[in-house]
Amino acid sequence: MRRVVLAERPDWRSKAAECGFGFHTIDDAPYWDESAYYAFSLREIEQDIEAPSEELHAMALDLLDGIVGNEQKLRQLAIPEPYWDWIAQSWRERQPHLYGRMDFGYDGSGPAKLYELNYDTPTSLYEAAFFQWQWLEDQLARRQLPAGSDQFNSIYESLVEAFGTIARGIARPFHFAAVRDSVEDQGTIAYLRDCALQAGIDCGSLAIEDIGISADGRFTDLDDRVIGCLFKLYPLEDMFRESFGQYLPRSGLQLIEPPWKALLSNKGILPLLWDAHRGHPNLLAAAFDDGDELPRGWVRKPLHSREGANIAMRLDDGRELRTDGPYREGPCIRQACHPLTGFDGNYPLIGSWIVGDRACGIGIREDRSLITQDSARFVPHAIVEETRGVLIA
Amino acid sequence: MKRSKTAVLLLMSTAPLLLSACDRSESASREGLYTSVEACVAQTNDSATCKQAFDKAQKDAATTAPRFANREECEAKYGKEQCAERNDGANHSFFGPLMTGFFLSQMLRNGSPMSGFNSAPAFRDSNGGWQQPAPGGAGGVYRNGAGSAMVPINATADRAVTTSRSGFGRSGSSRGFGS
């Protein structure tokens, strides 16, 4: 794994505009960054990322039977009691799920280490599945990449295939929803909806704020139609505590991601995974936090923190890093500290995409600090033939 | 090759691109629940697709219909004389409901159906509700099928008077909620 500096495509901004990529620059700061790329060997991709991703995904799903009926574990995961039966039923029925992203610390040496599962509302999907793919094709055509370069990225094909597979199980009308004012979240659901249409599924979209409720507790769209299935790019745990949440279990509304994803998109799954697979090479030691002082070499994370918010990291040398954010309350976990490796002062985090149950690609976000936050930039990657140049040099 | 062979945008693209085969024509889908091939033809005017969809649904019904250990359990759910004995091919017999309809969905482009379709058997339970097998089957992008779990068909959209909105979306964030 190397970080390679490469000239940008001169026309990438106009291409972004043509392809609906409205958030390549956020608050005047670059988000899409093709001034460099990460080069991997095929072995690194297949053995160190793809295979462990599928294994960890299976391990996580295998925990669910033991969680849904276990009051102690549901409490550890801070799942509100009124939702227990609803979540359990969604798992027993194997209500269809679509996608998730695992975040790994990996630098090409040693096993990739799982930081967390983003299994409810993962973003950076469009840029990974589409714009990164187009970057590779363009740079190959411009001969800026070694001939035969490839990319770990069949995310698009997998999404269309997944929608096709679950099409029959999606209740209609089917809507995609995200908060109205987030360009990034709106861009993500626009892409997902594009893929669903390509799979032959008729679907609409609306702002999450526009969802209505009827007198008999059913959810409606702006035409007063009862929503059959809602893809919501909005955290389940936030829905639970908002005023309409109480209606969810008896509304008949189908959700994607389904309710059982609340058990996985929760940092509490990390100690449960560790307990079940202690010493697994891709797992970091983890435990539920008791509130005591954080020892050296540990990280504290809230169960539901997103975008690297409210993280406390105590490095081996005693230095402490903290990020602020909105998740000050609520339970936390601890995870053994495995700091990201710096590449020219940048710290890349590997996001490994799972669509359906298939590991099908990666997207890399790099930040200037050890904790990846919403300031991170998306940097493309390529699979490049392993160089034999070392021998010649 | 570890990457998609192509990457297509249907709605998001505003201009034709060389690399991504954009297709901006109006797309939609058509779906329906039919109790006979004739009813399907009357609606779609496409007898070949209706016949194929029916045949496929009938074939799938043998493997995806819910399974019951005896006739009584099956009839309790699906009604008198609505169940038949079936065999899984390994000399293991069980009871399942008779297919009472089929579901057809097709992608349309500029109002005309594109090639290919999805179809599935449909079963009517004793309460009059329509159901189809949940998606699944081993292989493909999903590792485990959902077995013979059944999901309701909402072929026609239901309406209800909305009494309030804005009950979701109040948890504040400057950047959105994705992660």
Side-chain angles (χ1 to χ4, degrees):
Chain A
M1 175 179 171
R2 295 172 295 133
R3 189 179 192 276
V4 185
V5 172
L6 180 66
E8 298 181 350
R9 292 168 293 166
D11 58 348
W12 75 261
R13 282 181 180 77
S14 62
K15 288 201 157 160
E18 286 163 7
C19 295
F21 190 10
F23 52 99
H24 58 74
T25 305
I26 299 178
D27 296 336
D28 297 326
Y31 169 58
W32 173 262
D33 181 357
E34 59 174 80
S35 64
Y37 71 94
Y38 283 90
F40 294 85
S41 68
L42 186 59
R43 188 198 59 77
E44 287 172 332
I45 290 291
E46 292 189 335
Q47 290 179 25
D48 294 350
I49 296 172
E50 183 179 16
S53 295
E54 295 214 341
E55 185 186 354
L56 292 170
H57 175 75
M59 283 159 51
L61 292 189
D62 288 344
L63 289 182
L64 291 175
D65 279 330
I67 297 175
V68 291
N70 185 313
E71 185 177 331
Q72 186 209 351
K73 286 179 178 166
L74 291 166
R75 289 195 195 285
Q76 283 180 316
L77 296 173
I79 306 294
E81 198 170 337
Y83 300 99
W84 290 358
D85 290 345
W86 178 63
I87 289 171
Q89 191 188 347
S90 79
W91 173 242
R92 280 196 297 268
E93 292 175 356
R94 298 295 190 271
Q95 287 180 13
H97 63 113
L98 180 67
Y99 77 144
R101 194 192 74 230
M102 312 182 167
D103 285 343
F104 286 116
Y106 177 71
D107 65 2
S109 67
K113 296 289 189 183
L114 178 69
Y115 282 12
E116 62 183 57
L117 302 179
N118 294 288
Y119 264 38
D120 181 23
T121 60
T123 52
S124 74
L125 179 71
Y126 165 85
E127 45 277 43
F130 181 81
F131 210 67
Q132 171 177 241
W133 182 92
Q134 195 177 60
W135 167 85
L136 185 95
E137 295 287 338
D138 285 349
Q139 296 291 37
L140 278 172
R142 299 174 69 232
R143 300 179 189 280
Q144 298 300 303
L145 287 171
S149 293
D150 197 358
Q151 193 172 73
F152 181 33
N153 181 11
S154 63
I155 304 169
Y156 160 76
E157 287 176 345
S158 300
L159 282 170
V160 176
E161 185 183 341
F163 274 121
T165 307
I166 65 176
R168 291 194 278 133
I170 296 176
R172 312 296 159 84
F174 178 35
H175 286 307
F176 289 83
V179 287
R180 190 189 325 274
D181 294 331
S182 168
V183 179
E184 194 177 358
D185 290 4
Q186 288 291 337
T188 302
I189 63 166
Y191 184 63
L192 283 164
R193 183 167 168 246
D194 203 300
C195 292
L197 283 165
Q198 293 183 45
I201 301 174
D202 192 17
C203 49
S205 63
L206 80 171
I208 196 102
E209 296 92 334
D210 285 339
I211 292 171
I213 193 85
S214 67
D216 59 352
R218 292 184 294 166
F219 290 99
T220 55
D221 64 16
L222 286 169
D223 295 326
D224 277 1
R225 289 188 305 165
V226 174
I227 301 171
C229 180
L230 183 74
F231 177 96
K232 90 279 154 316
L233 192 65
Y234 194 76
L236 282 164
E237 69 271 12
D238 288 342
M239 298 178 88
F240 292 169
R241 62 164 187 257
E242 293 183 0
S243 67
F244 279 2
Q246 58 181 309
Y247 302 112
L248 283 168
R250 278 168 299 280
S251 65
L253 179 68
Q254 181 187 7
L255 289 179
I256 297 178
E257 298 300 315
W260 55 264
K261 283 291 192 93
L263 308 174
L264 297 179
S265 193
N266 182 315
K267 293 189 186 64
I269 200 68
L270 298 166
L272 298 181
L273 270 172
W274 179 251
D275 286 346
H277 302 277
R278 199 166 280 262
H280 189 285
N282 299 110
L283 293 177
L284 294 164
F288 287 96
D289 186 51
D290 55 12
D292 287 353
E293 190 191 346
L294 197 61
R296 291 184 178 201
W298 287 83
V299 182
R300 178 182 289 133
K301 302 175 170 183
L303 290 191
H304 290 125
S305 142
R306 280 170 163 74
E307 302 283 358
N310 301 90
I311 305 287
M313 180 182 284
R314 190 129 189 254
L315 300 170
D316 285 335
D317 62 12
R319 271 190 302 146
E320 201 165 327
L321 303 175
R322 275 176 189 279
T323 56
D324 200 4
Y327 306 96
R328 283 171 217 101
E329 309 288 325
C332 296
I333 62 133
R334 286 177 182 186
Q335 190 180 46
C337 187
H338 178 83
L340 293 171
T341 301
F343 289 73
D344 310 327
N346 300 287
Y347 297 92
L349 179 71
I350 314 282
S352 178
W353 287 97
I354 308 290
V355 173
D357 298 310
R358 176 192 296 158
C360 60
I362 57 171
I364 298 170
R365 287 170 309 144
E366 61 170 37
D367 213 331
R368 293 272 176 189
S369 81
L370 283 173
I371 302 175
T372 311
Q373 296 179 263
D374 61 10
S375 49
R377 289 159 290 107
F378 190 103
V379 180
H381 83 277
I383 303 171
V384 178
E385 288 271 315
E386 284 181 76
T387 48
R388 314 231 185 278
V390 180
L391 293 174
I392 300 160
Chain B
M1 194 161 84
K2 304 290 285 183
R3 69 183 188 276
S4 300
K5 287 176 202 69
T6 181
V8 178
L9 293 176
L10 209 58
L11 298 179
M12 290 185 83
S13 174
T14 58
L17 295 168
L18 290 174
L19 289 165
S20 52
C22 287
D23 185 336
R24 301 202 296 124
S25 56
E26 278 299 306
S27 296
S29 74
R30 173 172 71 194
E31 53 198 38
L33 171 64
Y34 308 104
T35 51
S36 66
V37 173
E38 292 71 30
C40 176
V41 176
Q43 184 82 43
T44 63
N45 209 19
D46 183 351
S47 61
T49 300
C50 287
K51 182 76 174 68
Q52 285 173 36
F54 176 84
D55 290 346
K56 178 174 176 295
Q58 201 162 44
K59 188 159 151 281
D60 290 350
T63 52
T64 59
R67 299 180 175 198
F68 296 90
N70 55 60
R71 186 181 296 273
E72 289 69 35
E73 282 179 33
C74 182
E75 291 191 344
K77 178 102 172 107
Y78 289 95
K80 273 249 168 293
E81 297 180 8
Q82 291 302 311
C83 295
E85 188 168 2
R86 294 207 169 98
N87 193 296
D88 65 2
N91 276 336
H92 179 252
S93 70
F94 55 91
F95 289 85
L98 299 167
M99 180 173 115
T100 40
F102 65 102
F103 186 75
L104 166 65
S105 101
Q106 281 174 290
M107 187 85 177
L108 302 178
R109 181 162 293 164
N110 294 329
S112 305
M114 294 164 64
S115 62
F117 62 87
N118 277 319
S119 78
F123 308 94
R124 187 161 39 190
D125 65 25
S126 51
N127 296 322
W130 286 92
Q131 300 172 323
Q132 61 183 350
V141 75
Y142 290 96
R143 69 172 177 148
N144 291 318
S148 55
M150 300 295 285
V151 295
I153 295 174
N154 298 348
T156 51
D158 222 349
R159 280 176 190 275
V161 176
T162 301
T163 51
S164 74
R165 298 194 191 275
S166 305
F168 286 132
R170 285 169 187 267
S171 302
S173 167
S174 58
R175 171 84 180 265
F177 293 84
S179 47

